[in-house]
Amino acid sequence: MASVKKPKEKHRSVVGQLEAELQEKLSQLQLLSAENEMLKLRAAVLEATVQSREDQDNVCGARAAVKAMSVEDIIRHWKQFLQDVTGELVNVQREESSAAFKQQQQAAAAAARPHGTCAAAVAANGDAAGAAGDGVSAEAAAAATGGADPGLSPSHARINEMVAKYSFLVKTAQQLNPSAYCRLFGTNLDTGLPAPYSDAHWRRVVSVLGLTKHQVNHILACAELYFSCRAKLQSEQRVLQQHLKATAASTESMLSGAGDDAAIQPWLDRLASNLKREHVLRVMLNSFVWCTIFTPVQCAKAAVYSHPWYVDVHAIVCVMCEDALTQPASGQRALVFPHRLQTSPLQQMQQMVM
């Protein structure tokens, strides 16, 4: 009996070692896969930023006009965009409801067909003839519309055009007219008065967007990179503020209350540069989510359902991160790059999301 037990114990030991090695390899593969996704995302963000710069450099006249806009001018354009896109969204919803109803009818008709070789042959021939007819109709429609995508409805095409035009205005205003652009947030655009909004409002906006699982993961990955970079900038801000206070206090004591601007100016310049980089970082997040991850229809929905506030992509990303971090541990992991965080993901994100 002892001789029989030894091979079994040895076998179990070997199997245990192999399982441990396999688990270690799988963990390493997971980390490498996450790093690969992070690099792809960084590349996508950089490509989108470069493309945005090139697009703006090609339209210098429009850039000058946007730079000279006041807050009232931007709000007027925004309201016109809302008015135009709302009607097209209603048309899109009608088209989608009609398409869904037709699919239900076709499914019911297919289920009611008699089974059998002859019936199946007749049905197959009918479907083939219908498909051929649809192909001719599609070609004729494409020719009539100048080769446009037959799968894109007129309402979808108009929404795409509206969103593209307004997205250019927003991206240019963020970079060249930040003083006017930033005043849009936290303001009731109907009254023009300050009106803080709650997270519940942006959760309602997210609920109507119809984001796919891939889009959600992409947004969470962007958020991780954004919050990580922002944390470094804010840490640098605190150090600069401490140096600025210390320098101001020392110069005031030496000059009996009269501060030395020359001594504190370098710290002011560095602090201004830091704040500018934080603004640019937020602009990159907003632009990438709005222009690259969201579809034009989702952009239109976000704009309409954000009313009476201006759509705040940063607030949308923050509530999505908070919701992802509160998911049960048994569900999917909330973060795409959890191995890059030094502290608990929940603690770090709770500290960063404001």
Side-chain angles (χ1 to χ4, degrees):
M1 292 296 293
S3 61
V4 174
K5 288 183 178 180
K6 287 184 179 180
K8 289 185 177 180
E9 292 177 356
K10 185 177 180 180
H11 176 72
R12 281 196 292 266
S13 175
V14 172
V15 170
Q17 291 178 358
L18 292 175
E19 289 178 347
E21 291 178 2
L22 177 61
Q23 188 62 38
E24 183 181 358
K25 296 294 184 183
L26 290 175
S27 299
Q28 293 176 355
L29 180 62
Q30 187 179 25
L31 294 179
L32 290 174
S33 176
E35 288 291 348
N36 187 42
E37 290 298 321
M38 181 193 66
L39 293 174
K40 287 181 180 179
L41 179 60
R42 286 181 181 274
V45 172
L46 290 174
E47 289 174 1
T49 303
V50 171
Q51 184 61 46
S52 176
R53 294 269 184 171
E54 292 177 350
D55 293 341
Q56 292 181 14
D57 289 341
N58 293 332
V59 280
C60 297
R63 292 181 64 189
V66 174
K67 187 175 182 179
M69 280 185 178
S70 63
V71 180
E72 291 73 21
D73 293 332
I74 299 178
I75 292 177
R76 187 177 67 253
H77 282 282
W78 173 252
K79 289 184 175 180
Q80 185 62 51
F81 168 70
L82 285 182
Q83 180 180 345
D84 295 340
V85 84
T86 299
E88 298 301 339
L89 272 179
V90 173
N91 294 335
V92 167
Q93 291 175 349
R94 288 175 180 170
E95 293 168 358
E96 291 176 349
S97 299
S98 176
F101 180 70
K102 288 181 179 179
Q103 289 180 353
Q104 291 177 356
Q105 286 184 323
Q106 292 174 355
R113 286 176 182 169
H115 297 284
T117 305
C118 295
V122 171
N125 290 333
D127 290 343
D134 291 342
V136 174
S137 301
E139 292 177 1
T145 57
D149 183 2
L152 194 64
S153 70
S155 295
H156 276 91
R158 286 191 289 270
I159 287 177
N160 290 1
E161 182 179 357
M162 293 176 189
V163 170
K165 288 182 178 179
Y166 191 77
S167 296
F168 168 77
L169 171 65
V170 170
K171 287 189 293 185
T172 307
Q174 287 179 97
Q175 296 183 18
L176 302 181
N177 199 354
S179 59
Y181 172 77
C182 292
R183 288 170 59 188
L184 299 174
F185 299 97
T187 300
N188 185 312
L189 300 183
D190 288 338
T191 64
L193 300 175
Y197 37 66
S198 65
D199 290 346
H201 172 76
W202 299 112
R203 286 190 171 91
R204 286 193 294 270
V205 174
V206 173
S207 68
V208 301
L209 296 183
L211 296 170
T212 65
K213 180 180 176 181
H214 176 73
Q215 286 178 307
V216 171
N217 287 337
H218 213 173
I219 291 172
L220 294 178
C222 287
E224 288 183 49
L225 294 179
Y226 166 76
F227 287 129
S228 176
C229 295
R230 195 186 74 169
K232 295 177 182 178
L233 289 174
Q234 291 180 338
S235 176
E236 182 183 345
Q237 284 176 23
R238 290 188 289 269
V239 173
L240 292 174
Q241 288 170 351
Q242 292 173 357
H243 282 291
L244 183 61
K245 291 179 180 178
T247 304
S250 63
T251 54
E252 286 179 3
S253 62
M254 291 173 60
L255 300 176
S256 302
D260 185 3
D261 293 340
I264 64 174
Q265 190 60 46
W267 297 110
L268 290 174
D269 293 340
R270 291 178 63 180
L271 184 59
S273 175
N274 178 285
L275 294 172
K276 183 177 181 180
R277 280 183 288 155
E278 184 178 0
H279 171 72
V280 171
L281 184 66
R282 184 162 176 166
V283 168
M284 290 176 65
L285 173 72
N286 292 349
S287 298
F288 190 75
V289 172
W290 177 270
C291 299
T292 306
I293 299 180
F294 284 178
T295 66
V297 171
Q298 288 170 337
C299 290
K301 288 182 178 180
V304 170
Y305 286 95
S306 295
H307 189 78
W309 291 282
Y310 182 81
V311 58
D312 191 341
V313 176
H314 182 268
I316 290 175
V317 171
C318 286
V319 297
M320 290 180 64
C321 288
E322 291 175 351
D323 292 345
L325 289 167
T326 56
Q327 288 179 355
S330 58
Q332 289 188 339
R333 58 180 184 175
L335 300 180
V336 182
F337 313 131
H339 61 287
R340 302 184 70 242
L341 302 180
Q342 300 298 323
T343 60
S344 164
L346 180 58
Q347 293 176 352
Q348 181 160 351
M349 199 63 77
Q350 285 176 339
Q351 294 171 358
M352 294 179 180
V353 177
M354 296 185 294

